[in-house]
Amino acid sequence: MSPDASPRSVDAVLFDTFGTVVDWRSGVAAAVAEFAQQHGFDADPGEFALRWRARYQPAMRAVRLGEREFVDLDVLHRENLLATAEELGIALDRVDDAEIDRLNRAWHRLDAWPDAIAGLTRLKRHFIIGPLSNGHTALLTNMAKHAGLPWDVIIGSDLTRAYKPDPEAYLRTAAILDLPPERVMLCAAHDEDLAAAQRAGLRTAFIPRPQEHGPAQRADPEPGGSWDVVARDVPDLAARLLDG
Amino acid sequence: MSPDASPRSVDAVLFDTFGTVVDWRSGVAAAVAEFAQQHGFDADPGEFALRWRARYQPAMRAVRLGEREFVDLDVLHRENLLATAEELGIALDRVDDAEIDRLNRAWHRLDAWPDAIAGLTRLKRHFIIGPLSNGHTALLTNMAKHAGLPWDVIIGSDLTRAYKPDPEAYLRTAAILDLPPERVMLCAAHDEDLAAAQRAGLRTAFIPRPQEHGPAQRADPEPGGSWDVVARDVPDLAARLLDG
């Protein structure tokens, strides 16, 4: 840890959520499995979840480039859900819109990685904690209630009107908290996110999530940048920030 | 309680903060007393707090009327602080700006009424809880950390760009939570706030705060409208919503 990332050097520790705090693949796969059984579809739920997620970054691209007005992840996830179903030859035209919406909201009902809540609970005693996610406020609030995430504050992408790694996503979040960027740390399992946060002037912490893409994930994730903190998981991040 | 205000009829219970959840008068008076002693001013801290607060509603009026662009409460509180000092013949021109700012941020460091946290903690297990305040997100986040308020989500006036009782303050908060207004309840100690929330379609709960303006406050506050719930305090509100 660099000396200027000591506990007293930041006021807020914010987290990427999908993949870093919650296990999106298991949660989405479980929802797909339930949906498939209910409607008699033949689908590999894990495969469906991975393909649905693979459309995530490209879908935000048009918003980031300013080619499309900001729409929230419920809108993008739903478009991607329909496209994934079509790709896999699953005909959804006889399924009620309300049931497709319910499946789409699987992204609101994800469980935390087993270590996350203990680590967040400890960090909360010393820092402002919250998500810094591409999720919108309603999604992140529902997720927090579902998973028991003890956030102090939830500033969704609908409020910053920017999708990471757009610098405004980081800068506007810090501004809403009335903190200079260097008093805010982003913790994420993804180098691209941390690199953009670092360019925007935030502190950075990497934690690996080797199971994010499931048991078949090939390589263990290694930190690919010069981050202020590299930790094993959220409790280890808390220990590194607080125990010096 | 009307039958449609039963627990399952709302998803979020939001709170006016200044006066309803936190005791602004004691907190501000204590900060004024410290400041006055430090700088050798002769001021009645309780009187100063009341006069400072008396400028609060008029100050937001220009923003509500669209005559002034939205500025947050740090800006309005600071203008009102200077005007109050002038009114009371206190010359601040030799005091550092940073020390005036620190006094101004007394509004970030207020304590909760003694009943509030237990009631909020119980409500949190069943509802989304948060402030619905004219405070901005940073102020409300700092206040929550200081006072231990267990909010799920903090949507400040800087995000809705509207000051209560402007209907947009209520409607935009519900929209950010992706809830129809009737799934959101506002709890406040002030009829005007509740009346505006009710006109916007929210559910309403009144709790009296007979000490809000200090021990010299003359009449006990009585609910002056037809509110869905009238409770003694926050735990009583929780009991009325949850125990039927």
Side-chain angles (χ1 to χ4, degrees), chain B residues 24 27-29 31-32 52 101-110:
Chain B
W24 57 264
V28 170
V32 169
W52 192 357
D101 286 340
R102 182 171 153 73
L103 173 58
N104 194 45
R105 288 166 64 95
W107 297 93
H108 295 222
R109 298 186 305 270
L110 303 172

Side-chain angles (χ1 to χ4, degrees), chain A residues 74 105 124-125 127-129 137-138 141-142 145 151-155 158-159 176-178, chain B residues 74 105 124-125 127-129 137-138 141-142 145 151-155 158-159 176-178:
Chain A
D74 282 351
R105 288 165 64 93
K124 186 181 170 86
R125 290 198 289 272
F127 303 101
I128 295 168
I129 62 166
T137 306
T141 302
N142 294 338
K145 295 300 272 184
W151 303 132
D152 289 308
V153 63
I154 294 176
I155 298 164
D158 53 323
L159 302 176
I176 290 169
L177 293 173
D178 198 18
Chain B
D74 281 350
R105 288 166 64 95
K124 186 181 170 85
R125 290 198 289 272
F127 303 101
I128 295 167
I129 63 166
T137 306
T141 302
N142 294 338
K145 295 301 272 185
W151 304 132
D152 289 308
V153 61
I154 294 176
I155 299 164
D158 53 322
L159 302 176
I176 288 168
L177 293 173
D178 197 18

Side-chain angles (χ1 to χ4, degrees), chain A residues 17-236:
Chain A
T17 55
F18 299 115
T20 301
V21 176
V22 298
D23 174 8
W24 57 265
R25 197 198 58 88
S26 299
V28 170
V32 169
E34 194 190 321
F35 181 87
Q37 197 189 17
Q38 221 167 357
H39 297 284
F41 293 122
D42 187 30
D44 174 340
E47 174 70 14
F48 195 105
L50 290 176
R51 292 199 185 205
W52 193 355
R53 177 70 174 181
R55 293 176 177 273
Y56 176 69
Q57 290 296 342
M60 289 182 292
R61 198 178 139 80
V63 174
R64 283 194 201 107
L65 293 175
E67 296 168 2
R68 182 176 184 180
E69 211 182 334
F70 181 87
V71 289
D72 70 29
L73 285 193
D74 282 351
V75 173
L76 297 179
H77 279 149
R78 202 179 196 288
E79 293 173 359
N80 295 344
L81 163 57
L82 298 183
T84 305
E86 196 180 327
E87 180 190 347
L88 293 172
I90 298 170
L92 294 179
D93 41 299
R94 290 203 193 154
V95 179
D96 276 359
D97 268 359
E99 293 186 52
I100 294 174
D101 286 341
R102 185 174 150 69
L103 173 57
N104 194 45
R105 288 165 64 93
W107 296 93
H108 295 221
R109 296 186 307 270
L110 303 171
D111 293 333
W113 294 111
D115 61 282
I117 290 168
L120 294 177
T121 301
R122 184 170 181 210
L123 287 166
K124 186 181 170 86
R125 290 198 289 272
H126 303 273
F127 303 101
I128 295 168
I129 62 166
L132 203 175
S133 165
N134 284 330
H136 47 293
T137 306
L139 177 153
L140 293 169
T141 302
N142 294 338
M143 179 198 284
K145 295 300 272 184
H146 170 88
L149 306 175
W151 303 132
D152 289 308
V153 63
I154 294 176
I155 298 164
S157 57
D158 53 323
L159 302 176
T160 60
R161 309 301 273 188
Y163 279 128
K164 298 186 296 180
D166 183 334
E168 291 301 333
Y170 310 93
L171 294 172
R172 289 182 193 154
T173 300
I176 290 169
L177 293 173
D178 198 18
L179 295 174
E182 66 271 20
R183 304 288 306 174
V184 177
M185 174 175 275
L186 175 71
C187 172
H190 311 122
D191 285 323
E192 192 202 19
D193 194 3
L194 293 174
Q198 192 172 63
R199 282 192 301 270
L202 280 72
R203 302 282 173 209
T204 51
F206 176 90
I207 56 174
R209 290 302 188 191
Q211 296 288 305
E212 177 176 358
H213 294 91
Q217 187 170 327
R218 274 184 220 117
D220 268 7
E222 293 285 343
S226 175
W227 314 132
D228 293 302
V229 182
V230 173
R232 279 193 313 279
D233 53 21
V234 186
D236 187 44

